[in-house]
Amino acid sequence: MKNLYELFVRPLLFSLDAETAHHFTIRLLGSASHFDPALRVLKSFQPSSKSKTLFGLNFPNPIGLAAGLDKNGVALPAWAALGFGFIEIGTVTAKAQPGNPKPRIFRLPEQQALINRLGFNNDGADVIAHRLAALRESGRWPPVPVGINIGKSRATALEQATDDYLYSFRRLRDFADYITLNISSPNTPGLRQLQEPEKLSELLHAIGNEAGTAPKPLVVKISPDVSGAELKAILALCEENGVSGIIATNTTLDHSSIPIQLDQAGGLSGAPLRDKSTALVREIAARSAIPVIASGAIFDAESAREKFQAGAQLIQLYTGLIYRGPQLLREIMDGL
Ligand SMILES: Cc1cc2nc3c(=O)[nH]c(=O)nc-3n(C[C@H](O)[C@H](O)[C@H](O)COP(=O)(O)O)c2cc1C
């Protein structure tokens, strides 16, 4: 049976171009974030709580907002009001950037999927740091862990990637409960090369050296397209460098399940990613003690359970939220 979002809200949003619908929703949630009566309405969606402690943080429930939905961190109080157990903003880059030419988000309803080639459109680390400082001062900071996902600016050469990440890390770490290093988005040329041992080692060392007296948990977000050998090397480096968690996975470049006439360049998310991301979660959990946050095709309680059974400690939603709406959180918590 369809829920109220699927019956009434999704048809309206899906009548708009995907990016217009996205901006409309984010603006609405951003505005709601300033008004207690609006936040009270959003709280009617909240799922039951089932708290969990991981990397020294208390998560009221294990369902998080995946990176990319609130790239600029404009609606943190609204996500918490909807009942997310943690919120990951970003990807934030050192420099503000517009991203790729539009159109750059495509819906594939038959496949329960999205393809995007946004290319890290975001306000940049400085503006976002100011926004987060203002939120903190306003007393509206959300009562759940906030992760900040950082990536490389497009204008920065791959050889300078470490400095670029360091800039965002230094600017944003005080606001983050954990920092995610995104080295796996397919839409910034060369970014995935940072998963190669030499480059990843340099990045992890540099960030590790910055830790200071109050180190923040560091999480690495990986691609579903890594080979077994690549995964082995990534895990070894993460262990060596005291990485706290791994997000598996980002979007895939494997479009083999998509009919050619619907295909677009970009990262594929949603249902076609399900088996691949679950397999990777299982493999990481089997090979390493580093906790896994699962991301990929969580659309209902059953697909969420699959991720936990594969060994995930926490899960994150993106495409499932677009197709199933905020009632998905309660559906998952009730069904676990
Ligand atoms: C439109 C869109 C934008 C995204 N932007 C980002 C991003 O900026 N950074 C990131 O780490 N992941 C990004 N992702 C990936 C998601 O966070 C998630 O890892 C991936 O979509 C798989 O989960 P899903 O099948 O539930 O969508 C994006 C995904 C989509 C669909």
Side-chain angles (χ1 to χ4, degrees):
M1 210 175 66
K2 285 187 174 170
N3 67 34
L4 289 175
Y5 169 89
E6 291 167 306
L7 281 173
F8 301 112
V9 182
R10 189 175 68 189
L12 284 176
L13 290 176
F14 277 29
S15 70
L16 304 170
D17 142 82
E19 194 162 346
T20 308
H22 174 83
H23 287 308
F24 172 76
T25 309
I26 292 293
R27 252 201 303 276
L28 206 67
L29 292 175
S31 303
S33 292
H34 299 287
F35 295 107
D36 288 334
L39 291 176
R40 272 198 291 278
V41 173
L42 296 182
K43 280 183 184 165
S44 64
F45 290 98
Q46 284 201 352
S48 52
S49 67
K50 191 173 180 216
S51 68
K52 169 166 203 131
T53 302
L54 196 68
F55 6 102
L57 300 172
N58 180 48
F59 295 82
N61 71 58
I63 311 175
L65 180 75
L69 246 164
D70 191 356
K71 287 178 188 279
N72 294 313
V74 297
L76 289 162
W79 300 118
L82 283 170
F84 282 97
F86 63 111
I87 305 161
E88 189 166 316
I89 66 163
T91 293
V92 182
T93 55
K95 299 167 187 152
Q97 52 183 38
N100 289 321
K102 296 176 185 173
R104 50 193 185 174
I105 311 180
F106 306 89
R107 301 186 190 98
L108 292 81
E110 286 275 293
Q111 287 72 24
Q112 297 270 290
L114 296 172
I115 294 176
N116 92 83
R117 50 170 180 265
L118 287 164
F120 293 165
N121 52 316
N122 79 105
D123 293 341
D126 293 335
V127 168
I128 293 172
H130 281 123
R131 183 172 295 133
L132 296 177
L135 180 67
R136 187 178 269 170
E137 267 170 37
S138 74
R140 292 181 165 274
W141 194 264
V144 300
V146 173
I148 304 184
N149 176 310
I150 60 177
K152 184 184 82 67
S153 311
R154 191 185 179 98
T156 300
L158 201 60
E159 294 68 40
Q160 267 79 57
T162 296
D163 288 342
D164 200 73
Y165 279 85
L166 275 175
Y167 184 86
S168 301
F169 180 80
R170 290 175 183 143
R171 210 66 190 78
L172 295 165
R173 66 176 152 195
D174 288 349
F175 302 104
D177 292 300
Y178 71 87
I179 293 273
T180 300
L181 299 178
N182 181 4
I183 50 170
S184 50
S185 282
N187 301 313
T188 295
L191 190 87
R192 287 180 165 203
Q193 287 177 38
L194 296 173
Q195 295 180 127
E196 292 168 7
E198 208 175 295
K199 296 195 176 66
L200 181 58
S201 173
E202 180 190 319
L203 180 60
L204 291 177
H205 269 115
I207 299 275
N209 286 338
E210 286 285 311
T213 47
K216 293 284 160 85
L218 195 64
V219 170
V220 171
K221 184 164 180 178
I222 65 169
S223 155
D225 304 326
V226 290
S227 68
E230 286 166 332
L231 179 65
K232 206 170 153 195
I234 291 170
L235 290 178
L237 280 171
C238 287
E239 278 164 8
E240 237 174 82
N241 288 279
V243 166
S244 297
I246 294 182
I247 301 179
T249 65
N250 214 312
T251 55
T252 179
L253 282 177
D254 174 1
H255 291 205
S256 53
S257 62
I258 302 302
I260 192 124
Q261 68 278 14
L262 296 178
D263 205 6
Q264 290 284 345
L268 174 66
S269 61
L273 181 58
R274 179 169 170 175
D275 293 347
K276 219 172 175 177
S277 69
T278 301
L280 209 60
V281 170
R282 189 173 292 116
E283 208 172 328
I284 298 167
R287 285 187 183 194
S288 167
I290 300 179
V292 185
I293 302 172
S295 162
I298 297 163
F299 275 73
D300 50 21
E302 205 264 317
S303 48
R305 204 176 309 120
E306 177 180 292
K307 298 291 198 250
F308 289 117
Q309 282 170 353
Q313 302 290 327
L314 300 169
I315 59 174
Q316 292 182 322
L317 309 179
Y318 195 130
T319 306
L321 197 64
I322 306 298
Y323 281 93
R324 306 280 336 280
Q327 281 152 298
L328 175 58
L329 277 81
R330 188 176 288 166
E331 188 183 312
I332 291 175
M333 287 311 293
D334 289 350
L336 279 181

